[in-house]
Amino acid sequence: MTAKRPFRIAVMAVVVALSVTACGRDAGGDSPPERGDKAVAKVDGKIIWASDVKHEAVAQGLVGEGEPLDTSSDLFRRMMDEVIDQKLLAAEARRRKLDKDPAAQRRLIAAEDRVLGDMLVENQVADAVTENAIRGLYEEQQKLSRRSMEIRARQIVLATAAEADQVKKLLAAGAAFEALAMERSRDAATRFNGGDLGYFTTDVMPEAYETALNGARVGQVVGPVAVEGGFALVKVEDVREEQPIALDAARPQIVRFLTYDRIRDLLEKLRAKAKVETLIKPEAGAPKAVPPADAPKVAPVPAAAQPQTKGTAK
């Protein structure tokens, strides 16, 4: 084992080690806990499986639930060392009979509640978040979404309106827009790609662009437009119907919505059947709890799956 790992890891391991001893049961065994599992170490004759190491990496947020973890990688070796430490700490805690202490018992029960709750959630999510469910919600959203027209344009940003008028005359005389953008534009983000802004809908642009481009035709140069940093000339390259967000791009947010929806539904049913009594009252004037800003909104379909804007605008 490596000797230079931070002391905080050992402290975290003590907490996890206590949960391993929950109700005096050990999760070890000679049979693989998962299909295709692999024994990777032994501690006093008890096997540590590759899945044990993977679960530790997932718990620490170092890999995702569905991501692979190569047993030959440095991360796997580091996580395996931590699992070994946990086993050693748990065994020592048992030897000292810390698992018999009343305070420890309550913490062990709480740890077991968390593990069982997580397993129930995983089970419910596996049933709800299927490929058919993801595709079905995606297709439903595509049918309901309203698509705008989107524009592909290039820009040249100049310091003054007079300079912009001068460049516009050069364009009218046949100068290449892309070449003048590279030579004269002040916008560092688009200058070296010929002023290309990509595809966008006008509603995401600054108001000056939106007004100038309203009704513009392919090939038309509009401006000068007063913008941040100077005055812009904008050439319309293409106009098309807004493209829908691809399924692969929408998938993470759809999965998140389906997960939240299933767990919310499960908790509502469980609370309806249970007798839950709150024995403390909120203080007068205390603010009400609000969900995190990134919590999914309860809606028929996920707002996150709405088509997104293509390209960037400066």
Side-chain angles (χ1 to χ4, degrees), residues 3-314:
K4 295 185 177 180
R5 280 175 290 127
F7 176 71
R8 67 180 180 82
I9 292 179
V11 175
M12 290 169 60
V14 172
V15 177
V16 179
L18 286 173
S19 68
V20 171
T21 66
C23 298
R25 295 189 295 274
D26 195 303
D30 293 331
S31 300
E34 297 181 7
R35 181 181 299 177
D37 219 339
K38 179 180 178 181
V40 294
K42 283 188 176 182
V43 178
D44 293 331
K46 294 178 180 177
I47 296 175
I48 294 176
W49 299 92
S51 61
D52 298 329
V53 179
K54 169 71 179 295
H55 292 156
E56 179 63 21
V58 171
Q60 294 192 27
L62 300 175
V63 296
E65 185 66 50
E67 296 176 18
L69 180 58
D70 189 344
T71 55
S72 64
S73 67
D74 289 341
L75 176 60
F76 187 93
R77 298 289 303 187
R78 192 169 83 245
M79 290 296 99
M80 184 172 69
D81 280 345
E82 291 194 23
V83 173
I84 290 171
D85 287 348
Q86 292 167 13
K87 294 287 186 183
L88 293 171
L89 288 164
E92 179 63 15
R94 291 192 196 97
R95 189 188 69 78
R96 298 186 185 191
K97 301 189 185 304
L98 294 179
D99 55 328
K100 306 301 181 185
D101 182 89
Q105 286 289 325
R106 294 193 62 80
R107 292 170 64 182
L108 292 171
I109 291 170
E112 184 177 83
D113 287 347
R114 283 194 296 273
V115 170
L116 290 174
D118 287 347
M119 291 182 71
L120 177 61
V121 166
E122 290 169 11
N123 177 271
Q124 291 292 302
V125 169
D127 289 342
V129 186
T130 64
E131 184 63 22
N132 284 341
I134 293 169
R135 287 184 177 276
L137 190 54
Y138 172 79
E139 290 169 4
E140 180 183 355
Q141 177 62 23
Q142 293 311 305
K143 291 176 183 177
L144 294 174
S145 63
R146 294 181 179 177
R147 294 182 191 161
S148 304
M149 299 304 291
E150 59 182 10
I151 295 171
R152 182 180 180 184
R154 295 180 184 272
Q155 69 172 1
I156 303 172
V157 180
L158 300 139
T160 65
E163 188 179 357
D165 285 332
Q166 181 185 28
V167 170
K168 194 169 185 179
K169 290 177 182 177
L170 293 174
L171 293 169
F177 195 98
E178 297 94 319
L180 285 175
M182 295 183 71
E183 291 173 11
R184 307 285 291 270
S185 183
R186 295 163 52 88
D187 183 55
T190 60
R191 175 183 176 184
F192 296 106
N193 65 358
D196 194 359
L197 293 166
Y199 281 97
F200 56 85
T201 54
T202 56
D203 60 304
V204 303
M205 298 292 284
E207 186 176 351
Y209 285 88
E210 184 176 6
T211 301
L213 290 170
N214 185 28
R217 302 178 305 278
V218 173
Q220 184 178 351
V221 176
V222 299
V225 180
V227 298
E228 183 178 351
F231 292 82
L233 297 173
V234 185
K235 180 183 179 183
V236 178
E237 296 277 321
D238 189 24
V239 178
R240 70 181 186 186
E241 187 179 71
E242 185 179 13
Q243 301 298 295
I245 183 173
L247 173 59
D248 285 345
R251 184 184 301 274
Q253 295 164 347
I254 293 176
V255 167
R256 186 164 176 254
F257 175 84
L258 291 171
T259 300
Y260 174 83
D261 195 53
R262 172 55 66 94
I263 301 312
R264 181 203 54 168
D265 185 59
L266 173 63
L267 284 171
E268 285 179 353
K269 289 177 180 177
L270 292 175
R271 281 181 172 266
K273 291 191 294 185
K275 183 180 180 180
V276 179
E277 297 179 83
T278 302
L279 303 179
I280 58 173
K281 303 297 181 184
E283 295 181 11
K288 294 182 179 180
V290 295
D294 64 346
K297 303 295 186 293
V298 180
V301 290
Q306 294 282 357
Q308 296 178 352
T309 301
K310 313 297 184 297
T312 56
K314 300 291 177 184

